[in-house]
Amino acid sequence: MTDTKYYYCFLRKDLYPFGPENPAYLIIQASHACFEMARRLPAPAPGEQPASMVLFEVANEEELFQTYRYLKFNGLIENEDFHVFFEPDHETGFTAICTRPFEGRQKMFNDFQLFGSPECIQEDLQG
């Protein structure tokens, strides 16, 4: 049996006025990024376990691009290894990044903040 595969998604938490008043908007942004990434990949083999998603938060659009530059500079993502989602409807710009699925948990992502997770449980969740 192989390890679970994980998409790593980075979502802006400053998406006002949509975010805090409408958490569904945040879920939609992460879903858009992951959907767009997944549709570029080959279809899973019959019986293959679907990839899980790990959701991280970033403060704003600038931090989203800092995250992109960090991932790119450190060789964690290549040209087809990610999707940066641009929201066309609400003038919110770039809202989320999703990576391709990685086999097993990736320690290279341990320094990022899980979305909505108090720091006291951060370490437990990332193992």
Side-chain angles (χ1 to χ4, degrees):
M1 181 176 193
T2 62
D3 282 336
T4 300
K5 291 181 180 179
Y6 295 92
Y7 288 96
Y8 291 90
C9 185
F10 300 86
L11 176 64
R12 287 176 43 199
K13 63 179 186 175
D14 71 329
L15 298 172
Y16 296 107
F18 308 103
E21 292 80 16
N22 185 2
Y25 183 76
L26 298 174
I27 294 167
I28 289 166
Q29 297 310 300
S31 298
H32 277 313
C34 290
F35 173 79
E36 293 298 332
M37 180 67 245
R39 70 186 217 149
R40 291 192 296 186
L41 301 171
E48 183 179 348
Q49 181 180 0
S52 296
M53 180 179 72
V54 177
L55 183 60
F56 297 110
E57 64 185 34
V58 297
N60 51 40
E61 192 173 35
E62 176 57 33
E63 192 173 311
L64 187 67
F65 280 107
Q66 288 173 359
T67 300
Y68 163 78
R69 287 188 291 272
Y70 171 83
L71 296 172
K72 191 82 169 161
F73 178 77
N74 288 294
L76 306 177
I77 56 174
E78 299 296 329
N79 292 336
E80 299 297 317
D81 285 350
F82 66 96
H83 182 82
V84 181
F85 184 73
F86 179 83
E87 174 54 64
D89 295 332
H90 299 291
E91 298 181 17
T92 50
F94 292 96
T95 59
I97 297 173
C98 184
T99 71
R100 67 167 170 80
F102 286 87
E103 189 90 21
R105 287 186 176 186
Q106 300 295 308
K107 292 186 183 219
M108 61 190 158
F109 295 112
N110 282 355
D111 291 336
F112 293 100
Q113 176 68 38
L114 288 170
F115 191 87
S117 155
E119 290 184 25
C120 62
I121 65 168
Q122 182 80 10
E123 188 174 309
D124 291 340
L125 291 173
Q126 291 184 331

